[in-house]
Amino acid sequence: MTEHAAGSRPPAIDSSRPHPARRYNYWLGGKDHFAADRESGDQIAAVMPSIRTAALENRAFLGRAAGHIARQGVRQFLDIGTGIPAPGNTHEIVQAVDPQARIVYADNDPLVLTHARALMAGTPGTIAYLDADLRDPASILDHPDLHKLLDLSEPVGLLLIAVLHFVRDDEDADGVVAQLLDRLPAGSWVAASHATWEHTPEHVVAELQKSNRDGRFVPRDGHRFADLFAGRIEIVEPGVVSVADWHNDNPARAAAADVMCNALVGRKP
């Protein structure tokens, strides 16, 4: 793993406020979270009891999508909003296809950085981690540690798993996606998932909004989700579907109404 800038200290971890990466870890059954994350997670679970199933289905989609892209011949990946390391990390998936596949992770939670250094193992020289924020794509794409590992003149697999719904419209969500994809060459792939309330009863949405007073969480329906990528990628079959339905042959997979998260995978022509 790449280290923080020489001579600098990682930013302080604020355990008093919930963070999406730590809350997600809590729902996945991990142990890397604080009381504020558990309280927030339990509040959401009280309204949406299937939230843990949703987190697991989203994680499973990451595995299927990353594996699919690797099997198309892509050997370098940029995973933004990676979250706290857990079984089924991107590098484990794609290095099972090719042990020399290279992966750069980016996240804005200092706790993720701490655990990434300690827990992310892979073939030496193939994994790096950036302490960076999706809302500032240049801070990721221009980072020297990214360029030590990835060649942006060759196809890249861009992973935006359960992260775009934390970019508000007034933070230019469309522009963020555009900046990322415009810097990647033809033949690159993207896999993304995005929360939606299009299948959720109004009374449940009203309760969920109580935990979203700052508007940080922005669910978008499938059409708006696809619009973020319009004109920049060709979405492959089966199109925009629930994360539970994307290339999933398990007849016991969760219903779209329980998962409340759409998925897409596409290729930049």
Side-chain angles (χ1 to χ4, degrees), residues 143-173:
H143 200 292
D145 286 348
L146 180 143
H147 291 278
K148 289 177 183 177
L149 209 58
L150 304 188
D151 178 357
L152 297 189
S153 69
E154 297 292 332
V156 174
L158 173 64
L159 305 179
L160 298 168
I161 307 300
V163 66
L164 287 169
H165 45 240
F166 296 113
V167 182
R168 300 191 306 257
D169 288 335
D170 65 352
E171 294 170 326
D172 193 14

Side-chain angles (χ1 to χ4, degrees), residues 57-126:
E57 289 286 1
N58 197 71
R59 188 73 174 178
F61 163 69
L62 164 63
R64 296 193 301 273
H68 176 84
I69 294 172
R71 289 190 294 274
Q72 309 314 304
V74 176
R75 292 296 178 263
Q76 49 182 4
F77 291 79
L78 174 56
D79 184 342
I80 303 177
T82 180
I84 295 169
N89 292 297
T90 300
H91 68 275
E92 296 170 324
I93 297 159
V94 302
Q95 289 182 348
V97 177
D98 184 344
Q100 296 303 316
R102 306 181 305 282
I103 304 91
V104 171
Y105 293 99
D107 203 289
N108 68 348
D109 183 359
L111 185 63
V112 174
L113 174 60
T114 300
H115 285 273
R117 287 173 172 168
L119 300 179
M120 283 188 179
T123 304
T126 63

Side-chain angles (χ1 to χ4, degrees), residues 168-181:
R168 300 191 306 257
D169 288 335
D170 65 352
E171 294 170 326
D172 193 14
D174 296 86
V176 165
V177 173
Q179 288 181 64
L180 290 168
L181 290 175

Side-chain angles (χ1 to χ4, degrees), residues 212-229:
N212 189 39
R213 292 185 177 89
D214 62 356
R216 172 49 55 203
F217 179 66
V218 187
R220 298 178 174 98
D221 66 24
H223 294 293
R224 178 70 182 101
F225 177 35
D227 282 347
L228 292 172
F229 300 88

Side-chain angles (χ1 to χ4, degrees), residues 123-259:
T123 304
T126 63
I127 302 174
Y129 178 86
L130 309 181
D131 179 17
D133 196 312
L134 171 62
R135 292 168 293 182
D136 183 7
S139 70
I140 298 172
L141 295 169
D142 295 332
H143 200 292
D145 286 348
L146 180 143
H147 291 278
K148 289 177 183 177
L149 209 58
L150 304 188
D151 178 357
L152 297 189
S153 69
E154 297 292 332
V156 174
L158 173 64
L159 305 179
L160 298 168
I161 307 300
V163 66
L164 287 169
H165 45 240
F166 296 113
V167 182
R168 300 191 306 257
D169 288 335
D170 65 352
E171 294 170 326
D172 193 14
D174 296 86
V176 165
V177 173
Q179 288 181 64
L180 290 168
L181 290 175
D182 288 352
R183 291 280 298 274
L184 301 184
S188 292
W189 286 73
V190 60
S193 63
H194 198 300
T196 179
W197 285 344
E198 59 194 305
H199 309 295
T200 308
E202 290 185 5
H203 71 279
V204 176
V205 170
E207 289 298 315
L208 289 171
Q209 286 285 30
K210 294 178 181 178
S211 299
N212 189 39
R213 292 185 177 89
D214 62 356
R216 172 49 55 203
F217 179 66
V218 187
R220 298 178 174 98
D221 66 24
H223 294 293
R224 178 70 182 101
F225 177 35
D227 282 347
L228 292 172
F229 300 88
R232 288 182 166 81
I233 64 169
E234 296 173 347
I235 299 175
V236 300
E237 294 295 332
V240 178
V241 296
S242 166
V243 291
D245 292 334
W246 196 88
H247 287 222
N248 187 356
D249 297 328
N250 183 357
R253 60 185 179 271
D258 290 331
V259 175

